[in-house]
Amino acid sequence: MSAEFLLEIKSLAHKNNVPIMQDATSEFICSFIKSHNVKSVLEIGTAVGYSAIQFALVDENIKVTTIEIDIDRTIQAIQNVEKCGLKNRIKIINNDALSCDINEKFDLIFIDAAKAQYEKFFEKFKANLNPDGAIISDNLLFHGIVENQNLAKSYSTKKLVRKIKRYVNFLKENIEFSTEFYKTGDGISVSKFKTDYLNFISEENFIEEKKYFKIFKIDQKRILKLFNENVFKEFALMDFRNSQFAYNQNISKFMPCDFLKISGCFGIVFQNYSAKFPSQILHEADKNIFSDKFVLLHKKLLSLNAESLASYKELLLFILGGNSKENSSVIRKLKKLPDGNFFCHGNFCPENIFIDENKNLFASNFLFSCKGPKEFDIARTFYILSKSEPENLILKPEDYLATMKTDKNDLLPFIEVINDCKNSFSAIF
């Protein structure tokens, strides 16, 4: 009876243009409910009850609470639930979900309502999630338009796609939840409360300390980069986003998989840690090899288009603390400098490079990465090398410029601005 009636509900929904869950999505979530022993579900967006009925049919002990704003669909859902004999296990609420207060806790929260409101739904109902529960969001690919925006024909569709993309970024950068994304159906995300990494912050797990962060080992595949308490969220997030860009461009072996906050400090969890800082491997005889590979790596970075990153002018202005009388002279200098779309690494210098056992170099993750002209990034690296202690200098500044085939005179306007900003950099780190 239930299986046949579900096909009838599905057929009528398609006929009346009522959006319902895709078959692949249904299989995914019902399998998730079984494997995670889910007994209670909160659904945001009932439509005609098709998905709520499927959830309830997974196990006779499952109870579903579902919210629908449209009165006609609510009436139809109630009728469908009653015909399936599930009235006692499916509670249907006719209300705006954002105005609906629910006190119960649930093993699973399923968001499948107005896509422009997903973030608000998530924030409102996360308090209703059991500690080991999950929030699943549907339609994150939006018929493929999110990945291929050329398919968007109207302004309203383009606007909705932007909101979905913002929601995806909200999930990726959430400090409370870890999220996995699946291309199943129309795109699904599964969000769970983050692992408590506090126990990994110990001398036993300590790997390395840099100027503004420490690195701890979590397991064979993961490390935790924990920023100092004086590093603001905006800068930690910048590092997270830049690390995503670098990993996607195959210039870093670090895959950022979690952005979090521990004891007042922001942190990033990376996967696939398989190398060390040069100081842990390199010997005196390796310096020439390292310097050659260092320059080659920098040239590779500077060949990348970084249109998605912030401009170096915006970044420097942000670091300075905004447009003010104190910064007016630096801002005037900045305005005269050229723009550019090349990938500029954050603090590109030998100390911030990683190396594997075969002495292959690859880029670290980047706090101050941005888009700009090549001269800006070369000037910054030259500046950092110039300020390094002689005993720690693997590559001489002059040799670096010669290998990069750059005249120091071309860098002077950039070096002057970088020098003007040095106090703001050191104040943050």
Side-chain angles (χ1 to χ4, degrees):
M1 163 61 184
S2 296
E4 292 178 0
F5 188 57
L6 275 173
L7 288 175
E8 184 181 329
I9 295 174
K10 180 180 177 181
S11 177
L12 285 172
H14 288 320
K15 183 179 179 180
N16 296 317
N17 294 319
V18 176
I20 60 171
M21 192 167 57
Q22 293 187 12
D23 292 344
T25 306
S26 172
E27 291 175 10
F28 180 96
I29 298 177
C30 288
S31 176
F32 183 93
I33 289 172
K34 285 180 183 178
S35 61
H36 290 78
N37 196 31
V38 170
K39 298 302 179 187
S40 56
V41 180
L42 172 63
E43 179 185 46
I44 316 301
T46 312
V48 292
Y50 179 72
S51 50
I53 292 171
Q54 287 193 308
F55 300 156
L57 289 175
V58 172
D59 187 285
E60 62 181 10
N61 295 313
I62 293 174
K63 291 190 176 182
V64 180
T65 297
T66 180
I67 308 170
E68 174 58 49
I69 191 172
D70 186 273
I71 183 61
D72 293 329
R73 290 181 181 178
T74 301
I75 293 171
Q76 186 62 57
I78 292 172
Q79 292 173 351
N80 290 336
V81 167
E82 289 179 347
K83 286 182 181 179
C84 287
L86 296 171
K87 183 179 179 180
N88 293 331
R89 293 203 286 121
I90 299 179
K91 178 183 178 182
I92 302 175
I93 301 172
N94 176 224
N95 201 346
D96 180 350
L98 295 176
S99 302
C100 187
D101 292 325
I102 295 176
N103 297 320
E104 299 101 308
K105 297 278 188 177
F106 299 89
D107 298 327
L108 173 64
I109 297 176
F110 179 50
I111 302 177
D112 187 20
K115 295 166 190 62
Q117 304 296 327
Y118 270 24
E119 184 174 338
K120 291 181 180 179
F121 292 144
F122 192 103
E123 290 284 55
K124 178 176 177 62
F125 292 106
K126 66 183 182 182
N128 296 100
L129 187 66
N130 281 323
D132 296 327
I135 300 177
I136 295 181
S137 306
D138 195 12
N139 305 124
L140 299 186
L141 293 177
F142 195 43
H143 316 301
I145 301 176
V146 172
E147 291 185 329
N148 184 5
Q149 295 185 51
N150 292 328
L151 297 174
K153 303 302 181 183
S154 66
Y155 172 77
S156 59
T157 301
K158 292 177 181 178
K159 186 177 179 181
L160 183 55
V161 167
R162 287 196 295 270
K163 289 184 177 180
I164 293 174
K165 293 183 77 171
R166 280 201 294 269
Y167 178 65
V168 169
N169 287 333
F170 160 79
L171 294 178
K172 289 179 178 179
E173 297 172 359
N174 198 293
I175 60 175
E176 293 180 274
F177 288 82
S178 297
T179 300
E180 293 184 350
F181 298 89
Y182 303 86
K183 292 190 175 181
T184 304
D186 197 27
I188 302 170
S189 65
V190 179
S191 305
K192 299 179 181 179
F193 284 111
K194 288 187 185 293
T195 302
D196 185 1
Y197 291 103
L198 185 61
N199 294 333
F200 295 100
I201 305 174
S202 64
E203 290 186 12
E204 181 183 356
N205 296 316
F206 175 77
I207 295 177
E208 188 86 18
E209 181 173 7
K210 303 295 284 184
K211 190 173 183 180
Y212 50 85
F213 63 85
K214 294 179 182 178
I215 294 179
F216 298 89
K217 180 180 179 180
I218 297 174
D219 52 37
Q220 294 301 319
K221 292 185 178 181
R222 294 179 299 166
I223 61 167
L224 168 64
K225 177 178 181 179
L226 191 66
F227 293 98
N228 299 341
E229 61 182 8
N230 58 344
V231 174
F232 304 130
K233 182 178 181 179
E234 290 82 359
F235 287 95
L237 265 177
M238 191 183 301
D239 192 7
F240 182 74
R241 292 164 182 162
N242 291 338
S243 298
Q244 286 181 317
F245 176 86
Y247 183 80
N248 291 336
Q249 295 290 332
N250 295 317
I251 56 176
S252 171
K253 289 187 178 180
F254 291 85
M255 181 178 72
C257 54
D258 251 342
F259 182 72
L260 46 87
K261 191 175 184 180
I262 305 173
S263 300
C265 298
F266 294 99
I268 304 172
V269 175
F270 293 93
Q271 285 187 353
N272 297 328
Y273 178 70
S274 59
K276 300 178 180 180
F277 289 104
S279 59
Q280 296 173 304
I281 293 180
L282 289 178
H283 303 288
E284 189 67 28
D286 298 313
K287 286 188 176 181
N288 289 335
I289 297 173
F290 176 84
S291 61
D292 291 341
K293 290 185 175 181
F294 175 83
V295 172
L296 286 174
L297 177 60
H298 201 189
K299 287 181 178 179
K300 180 180 179 180
L301 294 175
L302 288 172
S303 69
L304 296 174
N305 185 295
E307 187 65 38
S308 62
L309 300 185
S311 164
Y312 78 107
K313 295 183 180 181
E314 295 174 5
L315 180 60
L316 290 178
L317 183 59
F318 181 64
I319 290 169
L320 285 168
N323 195 342
S324 64
K325 290 182 179 179
E326 293 80 5
N327 300 329
S328 58
S329 62
V330 184
I331 293 170
R332 282 196 296 270
K333 294 175 187 176
L334 267 178
K335 287 181 177 179
K336 295 178 181 178
L337 295 177
D339 297 313
N341 289 323
F342 294 105
F343 181 84
C344 298
H345 181 291
N347 297 331
F348 191 83
C349 64
E351 290 183 354
N352 290 332
I353 299 299
F354 287 92
I355 187 169
D356 63 18
E357 292 180 354
N358 297 319
K359 296 175 183 175
N360 296 313
L361 302 190
F362 58 94
S364 67
N365 48 310
F366 329 98
L367 187 64
F368 287 120
S369 295
C370 53
K371 63 180 178 183
K374 294 180 180 180
E375 292 80 7
F376 168 71
D377 211 38
I378 294 171
R380 184 167 52 177
T381 300
F382 175 79
Y383 182 84
I384 294 172
L385 290 173
S386 301
K387 300 299 179 182
S388 299
E389 296 294 332
E391 61 270 18
N392 297 328
L393 200 59
I394 296 177
L395 178 62
K396 294 181 179 179
E398 295 76 14
D399 293 340
Y400 165 73
L401 286 188
T403 314
M404 294 295 288
K405 297 180 179 179
T406 303
D407 190 325
K408 184 179 177 181
N409 291 326
D410 296 334
L411 305 180
L412 292 179
F414 297 95
I415 292 174
E416 185 177 356
V417 168
I418 291 168
N419 190 58
D420 289 339
C421 297
K422 66 180 180 181
N423 291 330
S424 296
F425 274 94
S426 60
I428 295 166
F429 304 114

